[in-house]
Every structure is written in C-alpha cells, then in structure tokens.
Amino acid sequence: MNKNDFAKTPPMGWNSYDYYDTTVTEQEIKANADYMAKYLKEYGWEYVVVDIQWYVKNAGARRDEYQYLPFSDLAMDDYGRLLPAPNRFPSSADGSGFAHLAEYIHGLGLKFGIHIMRGIPRAAAHANLPICGGTARAMEAADPYSICGWNPDMYGVKNNAAGQQYYDALIAMYADWGVDFIKCDDICDSWLYRGTPLAFSGWEEMRMLHEAIEKCGRPLVLSVSPGPAQLEQAWRYGAYANMWRMTDDFWDDWGCLENMFARCEQWQEHVKAGCYPDCDMLPLGMLGRGFGGERTCNFTRDEQKTMLTLWCMFRSPLMVGAELTKLDEDTRRLLTNRALLSLLGEGRRGRQLARTDAYAVWLNTGSEEEMTAVALFNLSKEPRKISLPVKELPGFAGENELCLLELWEEETAAVCQGVIEALVAPHGVKVFAVTEKRR
Amino acid sequence: MNKNDFAKTPPMGWNSYDYYDTTVTEQEIKANADYMAKYLKEYGWEYVVVDIQWYVKNAGARRDEYQYLPFSDLAMDDYGRLLPAPNRFPSSADGSGFAHLAEYIHGLGLKFGIHIMRGIPRAAAHANLPICGGTARAMEAADPYSICGWNPDMYGVKNNAAGQQYYDALIAMYADWGVDFIKCDDICDSWLYRGTPLAFSGWEEMRMLHEAIEKCGRPLVLSVSPGPAQLEQAWRYGAYANMWRMTDDFWDDWGCLENMFARCEQWQEHVKAGCYPDCDMLPLGMLGRGFGGERTCNFTRDEQKTMLTLWCMFRSPLMVGAELTKLDEDTRRLLTNRALLSLLGEGRRGRQLARTDAYAVWLNTGSEEEMTAVALFNLSKEPRKISLPVKELPGFAGENELCLLELWEEETAAVCQGVIEALVAPHGVKVFAVTEKRR
Amino acid sequence: MNKNDFAKTPPMGWNSYDYYDTTVTEQEIKANADYMAKYLKEYGWEYVVVDIQWYVKNAGARRDEYQYLPFSDLAMDDYGRLLPAPNRFPSSADGSGFAHLAEYIHGLGLKFGIHIMRGIPRAAAHANLPICGGTARAMEAADPYSICGWNPDMYGVKNNAAGQQYYDALIAMYADWGVDFIKCDDICDSWLYRGTPLAFSGWEEMRMLHEAIEKCGRPLVLSVSPGPAQLEQAWRYGAYANMWRMTDDFWDDWGCLENMFARCEQWQEHVKAGCYPDCDMLPLGMLGRGFGGERTCNFTRDEQKTMLTLWCMFRSPLMVGAELTKLDEDTRRLLTNRALLSLLGEGRRGRQLARTDAYAVWLNTGSEEEMTAVALFNLSKEPRKISLPVKELPGFAGENELCLLELWEEETAAVCQGVIEALVAPHGVKVFAVTEKRR
Amino acid sequence: MNKNDFAKTPPMGWNSYDYYDTTVTEQEIKANADYMAKYLKEYGWEYVVVDIQWYVKNAGARRDEYQYLPFSDLAMDDYGRLLPAPNRFPSSADGSGFAHLAEYIHGLGLKFGIHIMRGIPRAAAHANLPICGGTARAMEAADPYSICGWNPDMYGVKNNAAGQQYYDALIAMYADWGVDFIKCDDICDSWLYRGTPLAFSGWEEMRMLHEAIEKCGRPLVLSVSPGPAQLEQAWRYGAYANMWRMTDDFWDDWGCLENMFARCEQWQEHVKAGCYPDCDMLPLGMLGRGFGGERTCNFTRDEQKTMLTLWCMFRSPLMVGAELTKLDEDTRRLLTNRALLSLLGEGRRGRQLARTDAYAVWLNTGSEEEMTAVALFNLSKEPRKISLPVKELPGFAGENELCLLELWEEETAAVCQGVIEALVAPHGVKVFAVTEKRR
C-alpha cells in the first residue's frame, strides 16, 4: 500500500465540528450523510466525518466553563480504546463501535471518517489497562509529560514498542469498523507548542500511526491537525500523512481568510497526489449550534466565493462545515460548481503569480488539453481593477487574443489581448478559464 | 501572624536531596538529625528537611530510566493527601504521618521540614476523592492542563474555592504533624516554563499556600523552588514566601558557582527579614548516593570557601547537602565558622561593590557597632591581586589606617591605608573584618 | 565626588520635549525658565532641560516624513562635538555653546540640563575629525555597527581609549558651559534592542560617561533613556547613573499609566538617594505643538492626580512636559501640592502593599516623626471602594483610631478604626496622611 | 527576458573567497581563470567570481582586528558606485572598471562574476553624491538605519524612486563591464537579523535589483547571500533571484556538512530551472591564505565525496573555493566526475527518501531514458550498512534484478534484488546508477 494512492485528489466531504462542536449524534450524522448522497455526491463530495469527543457521554455539559470537560465520562473498551458514547450513538451499544454507522454511510456510496486525539486515554494509563493483542500495558505506552494544551483526555504515546502496539490495536479496530478517514488532532503542530520544552511526541506518533495504517490493510486517509504545520517539517508530513493543516482553526472572519493567502503562498510547492496542505473546513451555511448559538456564515457571498476559489486554485481538501440539512440554495450552488471543482483534478497544479496587501493572482493548470484557470482576488475593501500581463502566463503567446470565461458567472468576458484585467468586488474574486482564440 | 517573623534570619539546616535523591528513610533522617544536634546546632543550624518523594514506596526503582517513576505507587490518605511511604518511614504506619519523626527532631531541639510538590496527586483527581473538611472533590480542585515538566505525580491546583480547600486541608495536616518548614517545588519558576503558554498556576498556588499557612496557626516557613525565580515577580515572592530559589538546581561545578555571582548581583536589593532569595543547597562532603554513586564534593577547598562566603555575604539561607554522618573534619570546620556565620545576623545587609569576569567584591554591614566585612573573590583560574579603594567603603575615612582580620585564616593581615588589597588564590576568596585602627 | 550626592532627592524640573519635539528655541527655553522661577521654584522645581536635536539647524523640516531628518545639517565643532544650532540658539553664535543660556538660568536660581544622544556624530566619524585634547581621531572612537534604532545622527562610541577621550572631551565642554543635568538617550535600554545581536555598546558607554563626569569636577546629574530599563541590570544603573527610565516614552493615555503600576512594583526596591528609577515626564497642560498640533493633556483630572500621586509615592523624578507659559490654574495646583511633593523627601521610602487588575495600594513612609502616607488607586472604570486593613500598616496598632487627611482635597476624612477605606473615582486616587488619634 | 532562462542548470564555477578572503588581485583571478579554461571548462565549469571588497585599496590591513576595516579607503566613481581598487586591479586604472578583466575571461570561453554588498556606500550618502542618469541624490536613496551586521561599507537602499535609480545605474554599469553573475551579499537573510526590528530592506532590494537586471538587457545571474534563507520566503527568492543560500557561510567541518542534510530536506521541493537553493561554496584543495594561513581542506576524502554527492543529488550550484592553481590531482578528479555532474542536468530532480541521525538516502531522476541515481550517505562515525527497499524507488518493480554502478568507484556492484544495500564508510557515501537487468 502506498499512502499517496489513498487520495489521488484532495478529499471532499463534510465535518460535524463547525455546527455541532462536541455534541453530534448518530441521527444527525445520518441526516447529513443522506443529504450529501442526494445532493452533493455527484459533484465529488464523499467523506462524512464525525468530529471530536464522540466518546464522551456528557459532551457539551457546562459548556460556558469548558469546551472539553476535565475528567469527563468516557466510553472505553477493556484495552483503553475509546468507543462511541452509546447514549449518543445507539448503534454502538452492541459493542461494535462505529461499524453500523460506517455500513450505513457506505450504503449511500459515501465514505466514513472519524476524529481522534493523539495518544492514549489518561484514564487508561492510570488504570494500567492491557493493550489488545500486545504484551505491554497502558502505563508503558503513556507519556505522563505529553499532554494536549487544550483537551484533557489523553496522554501522548511513547515512541517505544508498547506505544506502537497501542496504535496498531487502535487502527486495527478502526479498520474493522470500516473507517475510511482519520482526522488526528494535537499531532500536526500548533502555536501552543512553539518554543515549549515540554516533551512533544507528535511527530513520532504521526509516523507510528502511518505504520499502523500500513499494517492494517485498509486504505485509511490520514489527516493531521491542528496547524499551523511547520514548513521545515514538510517532508515529514508528506511521508506520513495525506493532509496537514496549514492554520489554526479556520473560521468565517476576513482576517483568517486573508491570512490564508500567505499560507498558500508558502505551501504551494508541496501540493501533490496524496499530499495536501489543508486550508481547513469551509464554514458555510448554518453554523455554531454547539458553540452557543446557531447562526449563518459571517462571510459575504463575495468572501465565500473567494474562499472556495482559493481552496480550489491551491488544491486544498474541501470539508464543508455547514449543517447540510439546512443548506440554502445559494450556498449549495457554491458547492456544486463543476468547473471550479475540476481544478482539484488529478495532475493539476496551482501557483501564485502575484500577491500584495491589496490583491493576489493565482494560476491553476493541467495537461495541455485541460483548462488553464486564472483567479484575480481583491483583498482590499474597495472595488479594484486587477490585471495580469499575458506574457506571465506560461504557454500563452502575449500577442494572441484570449477568451475568458468567468467560472462563477459562467459568462464570457470580453475577449482580451496582452493583459487579463477585471474589476473585482471588495474581498471578491474573478476566476477565468483562459483559452486562445482560434481564428 | 506575619510570615516575615517566622525566619528573622536566613534559615540554616540540612536537606536529604544531594545525598539521597528520592530514597531517604526515617532511620537516615534521624541519624543526620542526631549529628546536627551534637555538632552543628550550637552554630545556628536547626532545620532537618526530608526532600522529594517521601510518599513513593518504590522510589529509586528503574533509576537508570527515570528519576521519578511514572504512575508510581504512592501512599495517600482518603482525601488525596500524600503520606510517608510506610515501608520507608515505619513510624507513619499508624496513620500519623510524620508526627513521630517531627517529635523526635523537636526533641533534639531542632526543627522539621518536608518537601512537597505543588498540586494534588493525579491519582486523587482521577479517583475524584473528597477534600478533607471541604465541600468539593478532587476533580474540581485539579487542573488537568497544569503539570510539572519533570515530575509526573501531580496536577496543579486551580485558583478556586475547591483548590483553597485542598491546600487548607493539606497545610492543616502538616501543622498537626508538627512540620516547621515546607519546601514547595514546581512553584517558583523554571527555565522550563519560560515562553510556555501551557497553564502555569504556580504563582496563584504560592499565594494559596500562604493563605493556608496563615489559617493553620503554626509558623510554617515557606521555601519555593525551583529557580531561577523571576526578578519581575520579586514583590510576589516577598509577599507570600520566605525563601525563593534564584537558580535551577545548584551542584558542585564551578560554572554554577561563578554564575551565582551574577544572580546575587541581581537579587541583592531583595534580601530582608523573612524574605530570602535562595542560593540553594551547599553540596559539600559526601554526596550522590541516590544519584548513582557516593562521591565527595567536586569543589576544591578554595571553591568551597568561596561558596560559603558568598552565601553568607549575600545572606542566603544555608542548607547543607552532605550526608552529615560522613562529614570530614575540614568540611565541618567550614560549617562552624562563627565569625562568617554572624554575617547572616538580623539587621545586616550585603551588597556587591564590583564585579568583572575576573573578580568580585562584596560588602556586608550591620549596625555601627557591628562588624564590617569585605570579601575579595577571585573568579579566574590564576592567582590574582584584588584591591578596593577604602573610599568606596561607606563609613570609613580613606586616610585612616585599617586593621583587616581574615575570617577563614583567623589572622590579622598587615594594616592597610587607602586601599584594601590581597593576593587571592584561583576561585578563592579573602574575607576581612575591617576596623579602623585606634591610635 | 560621589554621584549619589548630586541628587539626594528625585530631580524636579521641566523638559521641552512633550511640547516642542525637536524644535525648541532659546527664547522659548527662557520663557519657560522664567515661569518656573516665578511660580514653581519655591515648591522644589529647579531643572530646565533642552531636549533632543538642539544641534540641528533644520530640525522639524519634513516632519510628516521624519521625526529626525537623515543626513541633516548639524552644528559641530572641529572636534566632532555637537553645538547648539546658532539659528535657534543665537547666544551660541559666539562659539560659547550653551554657556550664556546656562548663565541666564542659573541667574534665576535654577539649574540647566541638556539632552544628548549616546555616541559620536556619524559626520565626525566619516570626516575623521581629531578628538579635543586627545591623541586619537574620530574614526577610532566610532563604532560603525552601533547605531540608534530611531535617530540617524550618531555612531556608538567604542569601549577603548579613543572612546573615553571623546567622552572626556565632551563632558569637559558641557561642564565649561555650566550644564547641571544630562539626559543621555539611546543608552539605557529599549524594546528595540532586545534579542538583537547587533553590537549594543550602551552599557559600557554609560560607565564611560560616568567616568568622564567624575573627571570633570562638576556635579552633573546623569539621566539615562529610553526604557524599559532592564531589572537584571539594576546594579549597573545604580552604579553609573542618577535616573533611569523604566518605560518607553510615556504619554497621556491610560494604558501607559496603568502599565506604570506594574513597573513601579518591579522597581520599588531600587529607589535610593542618587538612584531613581524614572517614570518619565508628566505630559500635563499644553502639549504637542512640535508633534503636529498643540493640544491639552488627554488625561482626566482624576488620572492626572493618579499619575502625580504614583510618581510621588514611588519617588520618581518629576519632569513636567507642559508648555509652562500656557499652564492653567488647575494644573499648576497639581504641581504645587506641598504635602504630596514632600513624599519625595530625603530618607523616605515608597512601597506597594497590594495590586490587582482593579486597584493598587501604596505606602510612603519617612522617619518616625514624619508623615505616613497611604494611597488607594482605582485602576478600574467604575467607582470602587478600596480598603486596607490597618494591621498591614507597619508601626500602627490595628485597634487604635486613625485620622486620615486626604492630600488632594486637604480635608480630614472620617476617623477610622481597623481598616482604611474610601470610595475612589474611576482611574482616580485617594491619598491619605495617616496619624494615630491621641486621646 | 525571463530570469529563469539565465541559468537552466545550476551554475558551476570558482569563487575567490575561501582562499583569498578580501584580498584577491587581478593577476590571481586570471591565473585561476586560466586553470579553469584548461582543466575544468569541458566538464561544465564556467563562472569566475571575484568575491568581497574588490573596491577596498587596503583590504586585509589590520586583519587581526578586522575582517572589514571600518571607514576604509574605497574606490568610487562620482556617482557613488564602487570601482575596483586600481592598486589591486591595474586594468581598471583607465576608469573602465572590470571591463578588461571580463573581456579576458570571456576570451577564455568563461563567464565573469562579482560580489557586491546590498546598498549604497555610506561615504556616498554622507557626501550626498548625484545618481548617474537619475534625478535624485544619494541622500535620498540611502537608509541610515539599514546597515549590515558585519560589514561597515554600505547603507541599505530605500524602496523609493531614488533607490531604484541607484540600482538601475549600478546594474547598467556592471552590464557595460560585461559582468555575467552577481553575488549580492547581506540581502538573502541571516541569523543576525532574526527577531531584529531594525529596518531590514533586503527583500525589497532583491526585487529592485531584479528589476534593474530586467532593464539592463544582459542576462545577469543573481545569487543572493548570506543564509539561511527563510523557507517562508521561498516564493520571493524564486521570483527575483537565481540562487539563494540555504546556510550561513559553509566551511570544511563535519558539523556544517551534516547540517546541510537537514537543509536539503527542507528545500528539496524548491529546486527548479533558474531557481536554486544554494549549498554554498565547496571548500576543497588549498584554502585560507587570506584568513591567516594557507591550509588544505579539513574534510576527509570520504567527506569530500559526501559533499559533492549531496550537492549534485540535490542539484545545488557548485562553486569551488580552492585556489585552482594549487589543485592536487585527487581533488581535480572529484571535480571532473562526468557521471556525477550529469545529475545537475536540465529537467532532473532530486529528493530525499530517508534520513535519520545515522544515515540519509537520496534519489535523483531524469526523464525515462536517463539515469536514476541513488545515494546512500553514512552520517555516523562507524562503517554502516545502509539499505533501501527497491519498492520505494519509483518506476522499478521490486521483484526484478537491478544493476548498480557506483559512480565514484566506477565499478559495478553485485547485482541486487528487492533491496539496494551497501556498506558505507564513516561520513562517506555510495552513489549508484540503477538500471533493471534485461534478460
């Protein structure tokens, strides 16, 4: 198995976090999966991902004090592996974990993903549980100095035989359940850990998880969080993971989005088949119920298009954060723009042609017969005319006339010569398919 | 109670760490106390301190892998308070904690001290034990994000009512036992935590301990470790503690000792009654059994005198790290120099007059009728003539003749005029009692 | 000469910067001196200080682009010493520098101060001028890697014989002129230099200036800027300077003032005769003409009282930044509160008793027969009752009745017992002279 | 002109620094060029580069105190452009700069390069010289806050019209001289500037130089120094420069070489036609005369091979630092290994397959019909068997037999199957051309 074959194009799917926080239930997962199968699957959307703390029975309690309850009530098997909380995921009550839910989602023609925290439950370590199929016990796998800075559930796993046994047992169970995608948290990097001498075993654990996946025999896509990932470690992410977060949690405010242009600039050389620097979830539509109040996305429609265009030009994974069952018509249209989504296609490549505080220009190209796309982003608060000399477009002779098809408007702009130019709305984008005019 | 009255002069005593590491037993404590009572008490030595992990039954096991065993076997009462390991401290087998040992030491006319780690045992938190005399439980007092960077036993205590209840209960128990001195670790500061965003509750916990001591009704000297303490927080240490460590652990190598001159320079204004920046233990005589091999102090005799002289000129607490029962004659003489020890006396004050890479000069003064002492330290590897213009000595007229009595040699140096000067051995010191010659 | 005798109490005076920026003229200096002699002198105000770039002929030109013109037109003697720009200071046209102006100010019974930048003019170094009375030339004294981060006029002076010759010649000239006070800039410390490996010779230059002052035979008060001074270097400031800035430039916004409480907390142990951590100038009354527009102080009257009270309780130097000739009655009253100013008196001492985000309490004491003052500061935006248990006041028996005289209102508050308490306005202060009631 | 066409493969040449420091003369340059033409040109070596301070007449004076004399005697034209010191480069005495020397080198079929410092001479700024062909003067182009941390000659150039005029005039002059290659120093990045808030205009100046080169009409290769370049700025280097240094100055000690493996790991995705992360000069053969003593390279022969192999596998530029006229036979053979040098060829690509503290494995591939090379590096001090599973080699079926030709030994290793394996000397390398065995 070559992990780069598990995801030859950037994964597309839905994730429960932006709407449900820690509280999603089986019924809610199924409802979102149903929607995806019915309305989005044909456009390439396929992953349904249950995000953080599905193993906590009282998740969401005392939410004004804690996002993650300390010393909370976890569902766990006799080997220190966390299980779905049966009160929230009734189909797991028979001890089968997520197997029934995975089966349901597979039945819709979709794929099933789960979030996990790096490490082994602290409760398992203090109880010194045995490791399934292993010779060691939890106490030998757990590193009491390796904790997560924002979630109290786990200890890091040591880079030793006991630790590998634990991860092997864990991944084997997930493979049995039919899991297709693992988003592992507290393992990629974080501002929180920069300059911290406290032991951080994350990078070794990423490799250990990769090895466990290779052993399990099932193509399990590995997504690592949170960011910002370290550029200096790019090679490591590429060797062991399929996706890695370029940022801290992304939310729907312009500062985060503007900032993503700098990150895409830095990571653009690292996008390859099976290796995807990740712009994080798309906080669209209805959001935030678990965070204290349901609300709609704060981005303007122009900003939403800018976000989707950048993610596609760069070739980031696409994970929708909306509650799908409440998706409005307009947002759904954003997610089902075939021409734009085609930029994620196999063998394509995105790169930045220019960036200032006021604007950015990106290029996305494929093989010779495929579309060449140029995106003009307006990062300023005023409408702005943005232009690109055609001579900077590889493969185009500057003197020929070009046809420009805007992908959001789906209409042909005036034919141009020498320079591609457009008036772009504040925080907005124009993205063109560019072709030479045949005479 | 005013905590500054608990220790009107810098505490003097013995600590088990430098010889025993984590492994000292009741019998060994008593033997050292006996020695102190017999040979040192009359010079002002009085504290006998049991250092770290007296609550761990198998302390010292797997010492090549760990100084502090993770998930080790702790003695603990039903309220999450650690108890002396009964296999090591047999008199505690009746549930009386250190009461019998304290009584023994008090019977010798000495005082009894213990080391504690900041926080509440992780085991108590995961078992959610009740708090003695309190309304809350361990889970509410423990902060799962607040760990020590080098010892795995505890969680930090939250700055809330449950946390204060825990500390009140803890200190009340210690007062019951008859404890006179608490060395609290992981609470002062550490290089380890600089720049770390992981929650560090140490400063609040120092205040909470202080409040618990005020409530307990017993004058309990509070010593906080490890260092280096932060100069910016000097006011806080002075408000809540009696001693605070200026350095990371001090050991018998010249680099550590040389470095102490810079620290004393920085902290000199902060030495006051009940408030002592602490140079750390004196690693003299026999050391290191618990660290893998008994050995004698690595300092030369000149370096030992330099250390003791600096500690006394600066007015640091003095805690001997030697195994007292194996003390050689020469080292005992170092510890029983009455003239030198008198520099610690009430109302006296030390200050640095000069420092370069090659030498340092300190002054220690008392009231007008008391001794004025001047120490000339040679920080270099070569013998060096060091001099001080008399006009820089407050209270002395530069033109008069002075008598100089060297405190280690106990002999009068040649009378001098205008300048105090001496040839000092490499890493050595000359310390003079200075008086004007009467005609 | 002992530099600590130059200023036995914190210097009090006026400085041209806050109103004039770089542009003040001889006439304006005289007008302010006249005002001081007439209205303020009797309260202890005595220094008149000409601030930065008095040697620049076209100072203030292109002010929208530069505060300090690069490669500007400097007045300089043949030995590379800067002279007053004769177009701005006409009395210097005869080559006597500031001698005539100093004479004028001395004639008013006041003292004369000037601002200088650390170093030697870059123009002198590139022209390789000789050093007055020295054997070396400018090129050997100047360090081309030692520049100021915000002013382009100077190179740092090397710690070598040529450098000392330059500083000796410079200070000798100032002494000849009759200068009483030097505010040397770019020499204390600055955020700008933290973590910078570019050579920073400031600390050695501070010592070299001190030595030059000792040689010159005139008691020249040395004030060093900018801040924040480093606590770790406290001993050095105390050895070589009379005042050192605790902050970056202080201006009239609440954030700066609130922040000063933390700095006073840190530096309180370091206030001694001849050694004054400096809270910086008092930006009162009319300000800012040279900065682009004359304006009145932004502080509320309560904040102004808070500022003056803190400066006095702490015993900071007091340097008014207002244009004195435009001083309003109320502000003048602030500056002439005899009782408050008496807190600066010889032998007194200030210290912080408590501080939270919401309030601070300071104590200022003198000898037994002198006033004990307690200040209750409200750091919050709401009126707040602040109290202090009398038992925390050294020298007072908690059970006796106390009389409280508020120093701003000059009225006796109700007699109190056990606790001193007052309702304090937002950002305001109550400062009480406390005495025990005699029966 | 597209700057990526100036150097379609990594530049290969010789640089005067490692042997001559600041002191090289015209005669010495010619002698090295003659050698290159005679012995190395046919293998692809072509650039002859005059390194730092060719404009300083007394370069090398007071070498024990300074590498770069402050306020030294510079040759400069009336427009503030530095000229070759005529005492060292006699052919420039007619005012033609390096034109005659460039002509000589071109006559040998080679290319001519020079080192420059970012910025404009401080002497030009303080004299306020006019800018050639421009409307502005030096004072407007020079930034007095922008200095180099280790060389005192220049001020940075401002990002304004005057600054661009200066660079345009400078590059136009170099183009007139016939310069083919510019190594610009103090412009790439440096440890020295990390975290420094002092103005650093380097990145804008890199762009300004690029624009000046585009205007000058001559294909001038731009190499930027020193390193370590910032990964976050990779896009910028790629847009404006042809080569950028990944490290601080590289010298012949193992630590530097070992460290380069980590840097190559980080930069491997950024090697493209016209864009070369640069491992720095090859300190081989005779070195160091200008640094205080001629000496031979400190690397063992194995380490030398490791260095050359890594540079070639990674596709770094190759610049020899040796004095060529003293090159020994063995070292010349290292530099003329055609098979190894072919790894630099157009369209090839290097990447790391594995790295630990003990070993590293690199792959270098071209088009299908071209050589596939695998290098096994031993980073440890002991001989070590290093192996690579064939399945990790893209394009090879794991089960077929492979032929391995070692490129240094030029001999066929035993045919292998499934795994490529070799015993490698300490700090040494085996580099194999890998082909599938045809039956």
Side-chain angles (χ1 to χ4, degrees), chain A residues 127 178 200 236-237 260 306 338 344 346 383 395 400:
Chain A
F200 178 59
R236 198 184 295 267
Y237 300 119
M260 198 65 77
T306 287
R338 272 190 212 282
L344 301 181
E346 218 175 320
N400 292 349

Side-chain angles (χ1 to χ4, degrees), chain B residues 14-25 28-29 49-56 58-64 66-69 88-89 115 150-151 183 185 249 251 281 286-293 321-323:
Chain B
W14 171 86
N15 177 298
S16 64
Y17 186 75
D18 285 358
Y19 187 75
Y20 291 101
D21 188 11
T22 60
T23 66
V24 75
T25 65
E28 291 159 344
I29 294 292
V49 183
V50 185
D51 213 273
I52 198 162
Q53 279 200 335
W54 38 260
Y55 49 81
V56 172
N58 53 345
R62 297 173 72 181
R63 186 60 178 80
D64 51 330
Y66 301 107
Q67 183 173 16
Y68 307 107
L69 269 174
R88 294 169 51 199
F89 297 89
H115 172 285
W150 45 270
N151 174 292
K183 174 183 174 184
D185 219 330
D249 284 9
W251 281 102
M281 292 176 290
M286 276 299 185
L287 301 166
R289 199 186 73 187
F291 291 87
E323 166 57 29

Side-chain angles (χ1 to χ4, degrees), chain C residues 209-384:
Chain C
L209 280 169
H210 168 71
E211 289 186 12
I213 290 170
E214 293 221 314
K215 290 174 190 164
C216 86
R218 185 176 177 87
L220 261 164
V221 171
L222 181 60
S223 163
V224 294
S225 282
Q230 292 192 25
L231 264 184
E232 286 77 9
Q233 302 294 338
W235 185 77
R236 197 183 295 267
Y237 300 119
Y240 305 126
N242 296 106
M243 309 166 33
W244 51 92
R245 280 268 300 280
M246 303 191 297
T247 60
D248 202 343
D249 285 10
F250 178 80
W251 280 102
D252 47 340
D253 78 66
W254 173 251
C256 284
L257 179 46
E258 187 179 28
N259 189 267
M260 197 65 78
F261 283 86
R263 298 180 190 281
C264 289
E265 173 185 300
Q266 291 175 7
W267 283 97
Q268 58 183 308
E269 303 285 352
H270 298 279
V271 182
K272 288 181 298 193
C275 298
Y276 305 105
D278 177 9
C279 291
D280 202 6
M281 291 176 292
L282 301 158
L284 290 167
M286 277 299 186
L287 301 166
R289 198 186 74 187
F291 291 87
E294 191 179 63
R295 62 178 181 80
T296 54
C297 171
N298 286 324
F299 280 136
T300 65
R301 194 58 69 180
D302 277 321
E303 290 168 341
Q304 294 176 24
K305 287 179 182 170
T306 287
M307 173 175 67
L308 267 160
T309 307
L310 179 62
W311 270 231
C312 289
M313 294 294 287
F314 176 78
R315 304 183 71 245
S316 170
L318 300 183
M319 290 282 164
V320 181
E323 166 57 28
L324 294 181
T325 65
K326 302 193 172 186
L327 210 59
D328 60 288
E329 212 33 42
D330 278 354
T331 304
R332 194 173 74 194
R333 238 184 332 257
L334 290 182
L335 300 175
T336 54
N337 184 325
R338 272 191 212 280
L340 194 79
L341 293 172
S342 77
L343 302 178
L344 301 181
E346 218 173 319
R348 298 192 63 85
R349 173 149 187 270
R351 67 189 177 92
Q352 180 184 285
L353 295 182
R355 186 167 70 90
T356 71
D357 285 351
Y359 69 94
V361 180
W362 275 76
L363 173 72
N364 181 298
T365 54
S367 64
E368 235 167 90
E369 59 276 18
E370 290 181 327
M371 187 207 314
T372 291
V374 168
L376 310 177
F377 296 97
N378 181 357
L379 307 181
S380 73
K381 282 189 258 187
E382 309 299 331
R384 186 181 185 92

Side-chain angles (χ1 to χ4, degrees), chain A residues 61 85 137 165 216 284 287 293 352 368 387:
Chain A
R137 299 185 76 92
Q165 284 175 17
C216 86
L284 291 166
L287 301 164
Q352 181 184 285
E368 233 169 272
S387 54

Side-chain angles (χ1 to χ4, degrees), chain A residues 62 66 68 70-71 122-123 125-126 138-140 142-152 155 158 191-198, chain B residues 62 66 68 70-71 122-123 125-126 138-140 142-152 155 158 191-198:
Chain A
R62 300 172 73 182
Y66 302 107
Y68 307 107
F71 310 103
R122 296 194 195 184
H126 284 280
M139 189 187 277
E140 295 159 55
D143 178 351
Y145 301 108
S146 177
I147 65 173
C148 172
W150 45 269
N151 174 294
Y155 286 134
K158 288 181 177 169
W191 295 122
L192 213 59
Y193 299 111
R194 299 277 163 96
T196 300
L198 294 177
Chain B
R62 297 173 72 181
Y66 301 107
Y68 307 107
F71 309 104
R122 297 194 194 184
H126 283 280
M139 190 188 275
E140 295 159 57
D143 179 349
Y145 301 108
S146 177
I147 65 172
C148 172
W150 45 270
N151 174 292
Y155 285 133
K158 289 182 177 170
W191 294 122
L192 214 59
Y193 299 112
R194 299 279 162 93
T196 300
L198 293 178

